[in-house]
Amino acid sequence: MSLKVSNLQVWFYTRHGAARAVDGVSLEINNGETFALLGESGCGKSITALSIMQLLPEAPLARLRGDILLDGENLLDLPERKMRKVRGRRIAMIFQEPMTSLNPVLSVGDQVGEVLQHHFGVKGAEQRRRVIELLEDVGLPDPAQRIDIYPHQLSGGMKQRVMIAIALAAEPDILIADEPTTALDVTIQAQILKLLRRLQRERGMAILLITHDLGVVAEMADRVAVMYAGQLIEQAPRAPFFAHPSHPYTRRLFAAIPDSRKRSQPLSMLHGTVPVLTQEFRGCRFHNRCDRGWELCTESSPKWFPTSKGQAVRCHLFDPKLELADQRDSGEQTAADSYHSAESSDDGSALLKVEGLKVHFPVKKGLFHKTVGYVKAVDGVDLSIGAGRTVALVGESGCGKTTVGKSILRLLDTTAGSIIFDRVDLGALEGDELRKIRSDFQMIFQDPYASMNPRMMVADIIGEGMDSLLEESGKKRVSELLEEVGLTAEMAGRYPHEFSGGQRQRIAIARALAVNPRLLVCDEPTSALDVSVQAQILNLLRRLQQQQGISYLFITHNLSVVSWFAQEVAVMYLGKIVEYGTVEEVMTKPLHPYTQALLSAVPVINQESGREVIQLEGDQASPTNPPSGCPFHPRCPQALERCSSEVPVHREVGDGHRVSCLLVDVTA
């Protein structure tokens, strides 16, 4: 089996002109190989994948040219009737946004089962059994219970796992994985990557992996291609790609990766955005953002030049006739901005103090909707955030992180506990009193598309809060906000569906910043962003924190971001905080076995590091029926006999570092 794409061109005809979304892309994927495609949002990666699947609008809205050969057969020549037999069976796709890709009126079981029925004719009890097996394979907790529920009842990570199960159901020859682990925490990401590698070995399945996570690429890819503004600009086998990234754009991507060693400086940024694809290009498409370009770059489009065995780059710097080796091999890029301090000030007073927070949702059954139990989503959380400080909240999907954030902002009712914001008890406020204080705290939601009104233009989405809360809206302020988050002022006149996933997330951040909040609850604000845009957003958030004293509750599964951005980190499991402390303490000396497993599962670029991933057995228990004793003991590789019956208490182990684990009592 092989897939060969030759000179693929995809143009969309818009009111602004023809957008050259993909412009001359050629690649080849062989049996059992993983081919990774990197690049910023809006570069054309997903359009390339959708072209292969033939899921783009028909003419006159779109035009496709080139060849897409699957074992020698051109998919562009197939009628829709024959393509339906190819989709799912020969080529399947994990879509980037499970929140919008799943059907909201069909149960999880029905959506996975329809693939089995369409391609294999499997129905009834056999279909249900196969669906449960697939959901179990992708790590969905309680698959036998969740098979009958609907997508809105699942967390973002769980929806992604359902999408993966749908894609794998018909055992395809080629799997197109468009950001398959974006919404997943690191432990589930490790499970999914392990699953994909196993299926690839067993079936000889080829994978086209679209991702912005260089660590995932280092673990999974055989060959790598970098895409920019509709074109491929670098291709290489994995080893030389990571040893010697060549194109200036690729080097900037590497420089933008956050880690603890860069805490004292801003992340390297690519200023500006991917160029508008409706324009006529003459020279290199990256030249307006490249600090190594010269006049030739604006006049002549570069050709492909080999740099080593199997590695090639589209850049004038590598033209052997120009002899530009000194400029080509210049040092690593540095950040353009500067900070006066890596850490935010803290005068010891807490802007937000949460004590004993509980959020229990009733489970109702029967004709009279009798309460038969409770989902203990949050079960006794204590948090404190100082003015101008960042507390990161990490943990697996479904552990209650988002529920904590929403309940703090009074978007959900609490069952017990107190929420004190700047000495004001938010639990005691209602109606107008609560609305008046809402400009002080805002939320960046996990799913930017679902949190926006699809019928409103971007200018209205951002300006709505300013109108209702600050009474000082204006086109100038909207334009400033768009530029602050790396977009352009002309985008204010567009609708949400006209943007990529990463661009929509930046709009959501601009909307939250519009009312000058003092506290931002950031729910996975960079999960949909590539590393270069992530660097822009993180630098922006830190700069705002230092200039305006904004505090953040930063909910994330990206532990590299935590190590660069946060001052304190809280690790959450099954509704409880199991470890809390400074980033330096928790990230370098984790004491709870769950924290140790999270850190071991983070993908790393250096594959020679010799690290060992701690594989957690089973799934996180249901918050409807949590285990007795320590909530983590059924999966803990170090569990003691007493862990199944004795509930650990928060123990201070030094300088604010607290752990809820009986092992700490034993070793103390």
Side-chain angles (χ1 to χ4, degrees), residues 563-588:
S563 66
W564 181 85
F565 186 62
Q567 284 87 43
E568 289 88 33
V569 57
V571 183
M572 195 169 183
Y573 187 82
L574 206 59
K576 299 179 182 292
I577 302 296
V578 297
E579 186 161 3
Y580 183 92
T582 65
V583 167
E584 290 81 0
E585 282 285 320
V586 175
M587 302 292 281
T588 60

Side-chain angles (χ1 to χ4, degrees), residues 278-566:
T278 52
Q279 64 180 287
E280 289 281 353
F281 291 100
R282 289 184 57 195
C284 173
R285 302 188 178 190
F286 185 61
H287 76 84
N288 62 326
R289 305 172 73 189
C290 181
D291 57 0
R292 302 194 209 176
W294 72 101
E295 188 176 354
L296 178 64
C297 299
T298 66
E299 298 174 347
S300 173
S301 178
K303 299 178 181 179
W304 283 101
F305 300 105
T307 59
S308 63
K309 186 176 181 180
Q311 187 172 14
V313 61
R314 191 195 294 259
C315 179
H316 289 303
L317 290 171
F318 294 86
D319 187 343
K321 298 177 182 178
L322 300 179
E323 299 181 354
L324 296 169
D326 291 341
Q327 188 173 349
R328 156 196 330 156
D329 298 325
S330 60
E332 289 298 322
Q333 305 296 326
T334 58
D337 298 330
S338 61
Y339 296 152
H340 55 269
S341 172
E343 299 295 335
S344 303
S345 61
D346 181 18
D347 60 5
S349 62
L351 177 69
L352 176 75
K353 191 166 186 178
V354 178
E355 293 184 340
L357 180 65
K358 294 184 179 182
V359 182
H360 296 176
F361 299 104
V363 178
K364 298 180 182 291
K365 287 186 177 181
L367 180 63
F368 298 102
H369 298 282
K370 183 179 179 181
T371 299
V372 297
Y374 290 90
V375 177
K376 298 178 180 178
V378 180
D379 199 25
V381 163
D382 297 335
L383 277 177
S384 179
I385 305 178
R389 304 283 289 181
T390 299
V391 173
L393 187 59
V394 303
E396 291 176 293
S397 296
C399 71
K401 305 187 300 296
T402 298
T403 304
V404 168
K406 289 183 176 180
S407 60
I408 286 173
L409 302 188
R410 292 291 310 277
L411 298 177
L412 291 174
D413 292 331
T414 60
T415 304
S418 63
I419 305 169
I420 308 299
F421 177 81
D422 195 18
R423 296 183 291 276
V424 175
D425 185 357
L426 297 185
L429 301 182
E430 298 292 342
D432 289 340
E433 289 184 328
L434 182 59
R435 277 190 289 272
K436 287 178 182 178
I437 200 174
R438 279 208 182 276
S439 62
D440 283 340
F441 44 82
Q442 292 288 299
M443 185 165 187
I444 301 169
F445 294 92
Q446 182 177 4
D447 179 10
Y449 191 77
S451 66
M452 295 181 196
N453 189 329
R455 298 182 179 181
M456 293 175 64
M457 289 190 294
V458 167
D460 298 322
I461 290 171
I462 296 175
E464 186 178 30
M466 293 189 287
D467 289 334
S468 60
L469 296 175
L470 292 182
E471 300 179 356
E472 56 175 34
S473 67
K475 291 183 179 180
K476 183 178 178 181
R477 177 58 178 152
V478 170
S479 298
E480 289 173 351
L481 286 165
L482 286 172
E483 289 171 359
E484 275 190 332
V485 298
L487 300 175
T488 60
E490 62 89 16
M491 293 179 177
R494 301 185 191 177
Y495 291 90
H497 73 273
E498 298 182 77
F499 295 90
S500 69
Q503 289 170 327
R504 283 197 286 266
Q505 187 67 289
R506 283 177 269 177
I507 295 168
I509 293 171
R511 176 179 58 183
L513 295 173
V515 293
N516 301 319
R518 300 171 62 195
L519 170 70
L520 266 181
V521 175
C522 307
D523 191 3
E524 302 284 4
T526 61
S527 64
L529 306 182
D530 54 81
V531 291
S532 60
V533 179
Q534 175 181 265
Q536 290 181 16
I537 297 302
L538 292 176
N539 284 343
L540 169 66
L541 292 176
R542 180 183 272 187
R543 185 168 64 250
L544 290 170
Q545 186 174 66
Q546 294 176 333
Q547 292 174 353
Q548 303 177 22
I550 299 177
S551 301
Y552 300 116
L553 176 62
F554 200 88
I555 299 169
T556 184
H557 61 256
N558 191 328
L559 297 179
S560 297
V561 170
V562 171
S563 66
W564 181 85
F565 186 62

